[in-house]
Amino acid sequence: MKIISRGIRWGAGKEDDSAACGRRHTALKMNCPILIVISLGWLLHSHGGAAEAAISNRGSNSRSMSNVQQSAAAPSSLTASLPRFLSRGHTYRAVVGDTLVLPCQVENLGNFVLLWRRGTNVLTASNIMVTRDERVRLIDGYNLEISDLEPQDAGDYVCQISDKINRDQVHTVEILVPPSVRAIPTSGQLQARKGGPITLECKGSGNPVPTIYWTKKSGANKSTARIGDGPILTLEKLERQQAGVYQCTADNGVGDPVTVDMRLDVLYPPDIQVEKSWIHSGEGFEAKLVCIVYADPVATVSWYQNSFPIQTTDRRIMNTRGNRHTLTIRHIQQEDFGNYSCVADNSLGRSRKYMELSGRPGPAEFYSPKWGRSPDSYNLTWKIDSYPPLEEVRLLYRRVLMNDTFQQPGRWHDFILTPEHRPASEPLTHIMSYTIKNLYPGAYYEAIVQAKNRYGWNEVSDIFQFIVASNSLDIAPEDAEVVASSKSRSNSGAISSLQGPLPQCLLLHMALLLALALSNCQYDRRRLGLGLG
């Protein structure tokens, strides 16, 4: 410690800053090794004394322990002949129907009697069976075996030594019961009206208490995802689609989950869907009118033409398959054209849907692409179904001025076209085409088509929109995507060509910059160490 004091006083003289700093560094360089040596010596001295003390204490403790063991040896020789349990009390879990063995192993039993009891009931005394339960017996000495376990076998079983102390060993038995579930009501049949609520309930039992969840069977007789948890499932504002088989499942991890099915019938008035509301046909041909009827209770279905009931004849045949009801009209005559309706009745109501059987042409369907390829014209192609020959076709088109905020249609341009004679091989479909000229480049247009045969004009077609090419260099959007994709690939190739090993000149510049940075850091450290910062 004296060397440290002299070093500090020597470095504190009133000299110039640079000289003082130099001597301070020199003193520290001399004193650092000395400080390390002194510190190590002090630590070794301290720990050495502690080690000696620990050794001394260990010796005294060993002597005292030997004295204690010698003093305890005398009473242990007295208790060596007393009985004691070698086994330990435990909690056992077993499944109903299994066999369980409860151990009871005793040392030095001597003339003492070993009892098995459950509560106040004695099961065995020594090797004598006291209980009349044939499922209980002793095996391998005094181990108690219980076979074909039942739920009521759960509880505490005591193995007891009948000495003055009445020492005993307790085993706790828990009986695991697989889950069971039942529907409420037990028939599993429920009914409710459309729009009302319904509650489905089931009860599960088992040990542990099972968890209960609900699923609904799909059309393929497979269960869907969970739709509810707990013993009660409530459905509000029933729809007819909610009718079906629901499954209540109970699971407690013991054995496999169990389920019970419950069938829900939703009662509702008839709901009719028509396959086609407009049916096109021609004289001498056949037509089928189809109604799909949903109803519970099952509905009765009848057919009408122009509000008059239809009777089954050789030409008019009615048949039913499931909820699909079909009216077939053969060898159609002119008086067969008109309005038809199917009417469904059940105890909850009536429903009616209308259809039209017509000889007029079917609506036009367009086949042209949306984007044109000419800057001043567009070729429009469509097809029309008509059993009689077409007499006249009307084409209307107009320009639509549009931007991001509004669109303003122009006036319609009307053309009357005379259909060409169709081939005999195509008795139904008419395919027509027309080139519209003098259009504005890049403009939007709309077109509709209407056709007439000897039964009259058909319904106007849906509006078809098309875009005229801006100029001869324009390409359709799908072609533009291909070109853009090609350009993207070429650009990515150019970028990847730049990603390679760095040139040697660039690596040399980086090394020089790193060396300069290290030199500056060492200079700053010297300045800070001399106190010039």
Side-chain angles (χ1 to χ4, degrees):
M1 295 301 293
K2 291 181 181 180
I3 296 174
I4 295 172
S5 300
R6 284 198 298 271
I8 293 173
R9 285 197 298 271
W10 177 31
K14 295 181 180 180
E15 301 179 7
D16 65 286
D17 292 340
S18 60
C21 288
R23 285 192 297 271
R24 187 181 301 118
H25 286 291
T26 304
L28 289 173
K29 289 178 181 179
M30 294 174 60
N31 293 335
C32 282
I34 299 173
L35 287 171
I36 293 171
V37 172
I38 293 173
S39 300
L40 288 174
W42 180 79
L43 288 171
L44 289 172
H45 177 73
S46 300
H47 285 284
E52 291 176 359
I55 293 170
S56 176
N57 290 336
R58 191 179 302 164
S60 60
N61 288 339
S62 62
R63 288 192 297 273
S64 60
M65 287 298 292
S66 63
N67 293 333
V68 170
Q69 291 174 355
Q70 290 175 1
S71 60
S76 64
S77 61
L78 298 176
T79 60
S81 59
L82 295 178
R84 67 186 185 93
F85 290 103
L86 299 178
S87 55
R88 294 183 179 181
H90 189 67
T91 298
Y92 293 90
R93 288 185 173 186
V95 180
V96 168
D98 288 354
T99 298
L100 178 65
V101 176
L102 303 178
C104 185
Q105 298 176 0
V106 181
E107 184 181 51
N108 300 325
L109 181 60
N111 295 325
F112 294 104
V113 176
L114 189 69
L115 299 176
W116 272 104
R117 62 180 176 84
R118 182 185 175 195
T120 58
N121 297 327
V122 177
L123 304 178
T124 67
S126 186
N127 292 322
I128 301 173
M129 298 299 302
V130 179
T131 181
R132 296 182 179 180
D133 192 341
E134 296 179 354
R135 300 177 302 119
V136 180
R137 65 171 184 159
L138 292 175
I139 62 170
D140 300 331
Y142 296 102
N143 298 327
L144 187 69
E145 180 187 85
I146 308 172
S147 60
D148 195 16
L149 286 170
E150 300 175 355
Q152 56 267 28
D153 292 328
D156 291 339
Y157 290 78
V158 181
C159 178
Q160 187 177 62
I161 300 173
S162 59
D163 59 357
K164 296 180 180 180
I165 305 177
N166 281 335
R167 284 164 293 180
D168 52 25
Q169 184 176 99
V170 180
H171 296 297
T172 301
V173 176
E174 181 179 349
I175 304 300
L176 303 180
V177 181
S180 62
V181 64
R182 61 185 178 89
I184 300 176
T186 55
S187 64
Q189 299 289 329
L190 294 172
Q191 286 186 345
R193 294 195 62 168
K194 178 183 176 181
I198 187 66
T199 297
L200 286 73
E201 184 177 0
C202 66
K203 285 190 176 180
S205 60
N207 186 32
V209 176
T211 58
I212 295 177
Y213 60 90
W214 294 86
T215 55
K216 184 175 184 292
K217 284 187 176 180
S218 62
N221 210 27
K222 295 181 180 180
S223 297
T224 57
R226 285 193 185 189
I227 58 175
D229 293 288
I232 295 177
L233 176 66
T234 301
L235 304 175
E236 303 284 352
K237 297 181 180 180
L238 284 172
E239 297 291 339
R240 64 175 179 82
Q241 294 83 357
Q242 291 178 285
V245 177
Y246 291 78
Q247 282 192 325
C248 173
T249 302
D251 184 11
N252 66 353
V254 181
D256 296 328
V258 293
T259 62
V260 62
D261 290 350
M262 300 186 70
R263 181 170 188 84
L264 172 62
D265 295 321
V266 178
L267 307 179
Y268 55 95
D271 182 11
I272 302 176
Q273 297 177 0
V274 295
E275 197 169 74
K276 291 181 180 180
S277 61
W278 190 87
I279 299 96
H280 174 63
S281 190
E283 293 184 33
F285 293 91
E286 179 179 287
K288 290 181 181 293
L289 288 70
V290 179
C291 278
I292 301 172
V293 180
Y294 300 95
D296 196 352
V298 177
T300 58
V301 176
S302 53
W303 290 89
Y304 292 81
Q305 180 186 8
N306 299 324
S307 301
F308 294 99
I310 298 175
Q311 303 298 328
T312 300
T313 64
D314 293 339
R315 291 197 311 110
R316 297 185 175 186
I317 302 170
M318 290 173 279
N319 57 63
T320 301
R321 179 173 293 179
N323 61 350
R324 183 184 177 91
H325 302 265
T326 305
L327 171 63
T328 303
I329 304 175
R330 298 175 178 174
H331 307 295
I332 291 176
Q333 301 173 5
Q334 187 169 358
E335 60 267 20
D336 292 326
F337 294 122
N339 291 320
Y340 289 79
S341 62
C342 64
V343 178
D345 292 277
N346 71 1
S347 60
L348 300 179
R350 163 179 282 205
S351 181
R352 181 192 295 265
K353 279 295 176 72
Y354 293 92
M355 291 159 283
E356 181 184 356
L357 176 61
S358 175
R360 294 180 291 116
E365 297 180 19
F366 294 94
Y367 284 92
S368 301
K370 182 176 181 179
W371 294 81
R373 295 185 177 274
S374 173
D376 60 355
S377 64
Y378 181 84
N379 182 267
L380 194 64
T381 303
W382 66 90
K383 78 162 189 171
I384 298 175
D385 290 339
S386 175
Y387 284 91
L390 294 178
E391 297 177 355
E392 193 176 338
V393 175
R394 185 183 182 193
L395 168 63
L396 296 91
Y397 75 93
R398 66 182 177 183
R399 183 184 177 186
V400 180
L401 300 175
M402 56 192 308
N403 57 25
D404 295 338
T405 58
F406 79 101
Q407 64 177 18
Q408 180 181 353
R411 67 179 182 86
W412 287 105
H413 298 272
D414 194 348
F415 290 92
I416 301 297
L417 308 176
T418 301
E420 296 180 358
H421 179 71
R422 66 182 175 188
S425 60
E426 298 180 3
L428 176 63
T429 302
H430 298 254
I431 298 177
M432 299 185 65
S433 180
Y434 183 79
T435 300
I436 306 174
K437 298 180 180 180
N438 300 322
L439 301 178
Y440 289 92
Y444 285 76
Y445 286 86
E446 292 179 340
I448 55 175
V449 169
Q450 192 175 17
K452 177 186 176 183
N453 64 13
R454 67 188 180 92
Y455 294 108
W457 289 93
N458 66 354
E459 298 293 331
V460 177
S461 68
D462 293 335
I463 293 178
F464 176 74
Q465 293 184 336
F466 60 92
I467 303 171
V468 181
S470 296
N471 52 59
S472 59
L473 298 178
D474 278 354
I475 54 177
E478 56 269 20
D479 298 332
E481 290 178 3
V482 174
V483 175
S485 176
S486 176
K487 289 182 178 179
S488 299
R489 287 194 294 268
S490 63
N491 290 338
S492 63
I495 293 171
S496 63
S497 64
L498 296 177
Q499 298 175 352
L502 295 174
Q504 293 184 356
C505 59
L506 184 58
L507 292 173
L508 182 59
H509 285 303
M510 292 174 64
L512 291 175
L513 289 174
L514 181 60
L516 182 59
L518 291 173
S519 177
N520 290 335
C521 290
Q522 292 175 358
Y523 175 73
D524 290 339
R525 287 182 180 177
R526 287 196 299 271
R527 291 180 63 225
L528 293 172
L530 296 173
L532 300 175

